[in-house]
Structure formats: C-alpha cells, structure tokens
Amino acid sequence: MADFKVHLYGAVATSSLAALSVYSFGWTGPRQTLVLFLVGVAGGLLPDIDCPKSNPIRGFFALLGVVLAFGMTFSFVGRVPLPGLALIWALVFVTVRYGIFVLFARYTVHRGIWHSWLAALAAGLASANLAYHAVGLTAWESWLAGLFMVLGYLTHLTLDEIASVDLQGRRIKRSLGSALKPFSLERPWTSLAMLLLVLLLGVSAPTLAPVLAVADHYGLDVAMLRARLLGGGA
Ligand SMILES: [Zn+2]
C-alpha cells in the first residue's frame, strides 16, 4: 500500500496538471481552478476512508461535517432565530463527525469496496451533487468538481496498485488487484449497495446539458452518444 505522502504528491501531480489544462482551455477562472485542484487532491486521499483511524480521514469527516452543517443551516436562515440556527449547525456537525464516522469505522474493510472504480464513480457523483445542491455552483462547475474527484480517486487506486508490484518486477505481492478493481467481488452485497448509491446520486445529479454542449463543441457526435447511452436506437 502506497503511503500517505505518496498519495498526497501523486494527487498533487495529476490534479495540478488537470487544473492547468482546464484553465488553459478557458473553462475556468483562476479561483475555480484552485478549488478544482483541491477537490482533486481530496479525491487522491479519500479512498483510504476505509482506514478510519488515520488522521486525514478524521479530518475529512470534520470538514464534511462543517460543509453539510453550513449547507443545512443556510436553508433555515430567516425562518429560525439565531440560537436555533446554531443548534441545527451543531446537530448536523456532531451527527456527521461522530455518528456517521463511527458507522464507517464499524462497517468498512480496508481495501474493500472503497478501493474500486464503482466507489470512484460514487465519489465523483457525490461531489457533483454536493457542489450543485449544497454549495450552489452551476451544473458545469459541479460536473468539473465531480471529474476532478474521480481523477484524484483513480490516481490513488493506481498508486496503491503500483505499490503492490515489486519494483524488481518479479515478486508480486498479495495485495495486487485489491485496489484497482471495478467492484468488490468478495462482498457482493456491499457492491450492490454502492451501485444503488451510484444510481441514486445519478438521479439527483445536476443536468448533463452543459457537459454535452462542451462535448458537442469539441466535435463529439452527441446524438449518437445519447442514443447509445439511453438506448434510443440510432
Ligand atoms: Zn489506498
């Protein structure tokens, strides 16, 4: 297993390259580019969410708690007095940071479902949803955030997989294939739950229209793509 520093630098490398690319395409301004870079780096650290005792994961839950607490509280402003708002904030934060964290620590297995393509997709869709519904970004910005999350996530899985191959090239460690896998075959029910999560997040995701428009702009045959994706028989 690649260690924390390797994951951090790996994610910084791919995410900065991708951030510079989208900036040079003229897709983002300087501030959005920086945020996307940070999302990519977060994605590069996220798969080890199944090692709940590690500091980055505790930090991640604290951050998630803060983001969700503000997201929830903002929707009550004007309807609930300030002490009530503070209470809602604290309640959401404690539920996420401690409640959900404990559930996670209890039910996750290291290198289980969180080290899979399916989880990368779920994390990307969750980011797009969060950016759109909680932070209030545009659909296009939200999809970019989702894309950077997936990029960072896959960087992590690839680095874990590389670390399982002996660099001499002969001895292959037992952990080979435990990071970069489509889904977790040993735990079919967990995989099914993750698939369900992907579908739910897909339904609540922001519209794909701006993404398709950009694809169209770059000459992709969108009509054909749509027909293939939706089975509309082209
Ligand atoms: Zn890992």
Side-chain angles (χ1 to χ4, degrees):
M1 174 189 170
D3 75 356
F4 177 72
K5 258 193 208 157
V6 173
H7 283 309
L8 183 65
Y9 293 138
V12 165
T14 53
S15 195
S16 57
L17 192 67
L20 288 173
S21 309
V22 292
Y23 183 68
S24 68
F25 293 157
W27 289 358
T28 51
R31 210 173 348 150
Q32 294 161 306
T33 308
L34 184 66
V35 171
L36 288 176
F37 164 74
L38 292 175
V39 170
V41 173
L45 303 176
L46 193 58
D48 284 340
I49 195 166
D50 53 15
C51 260
K53 292 199 179 77
S54 64
N55 283 329
I57 294 314
R58 284 175 198 274
F60 167 77
F61 272 92
L63 192 69
L64 185 71
V66 168
V67 171
L68 291 180
F70 273 118
M72 285 289 271
T73 313
F74 283 159
S75 60
F76 286 102
V77 171
R79 291 188 283 151
V80 175
L82 192 58
L85 291 179
L87 191 68
I88 293 171
W89 198 100
L91 222 61
V92 175
F93 177 77
V94 169
T95 306
V96 174
R97 171 60 184 87
Y98 298 98
I100 299 183
F101 176 79
V102 167
L103 279 181
F104 243 97
R106 218 179 127 75
Y107 290 109
T108 52
V109 180
H110 186 51
R111 287 257 178 130
I113 188 67
W114 291 101
H115 281 71
S116 69
W117 304 352
L118 202 56
L121 191 61
L125 284 169
S127 304
N129 271 289
L130 213 63
Y132 188 72
H133 298 295
V135 188
L137 300 187
T138 65
W140 169 241
E141 292 166 335
S142 303
W143 280 115
L144 278 179
L147 193 71
F148 270 75
M149 171 55 70
V150 172
L151 177 79
Y153 211 103
L154 291 179
T155 303
H156 179 113
L157 301 188
T158 308
L159 285 173
D160 270 355
E161 211 54 78
I162 290 171
S164 16
V165 183
D166 189 306
L167 291 181
Q168 306 270 309
R170 289 206 210 106
R171 201 166 52 96
I172 292 178
K173 293 187 195 160
R174 274 188 54 215
S175 56
L176 184 77
S178 68
L180 202 55
K181 57 183 180 296
F183 45 83
S184 179
L185 265 181
E186 291 124 71
R187 293 178 186 78
W189 290 111
T190 325
S191 294
L192 204 65
M194 187 61 87
L195 184 65
L196 206 66
L197 180 67
V198 165
L199 293 178
L200 283 175
L201 288 169
V203 170
S204 61
T207 169
L208 263 173
V211 180
L212 293 175
V214 169
D216 194 30
H217 177 74
Y218 286 91
L220 272 173
D221 191 341
V222 176
M224 186 204 70
L225 204 68
R226 191 177 289 153
R228 287 220 177 145
L229 282 174
L230 304 176

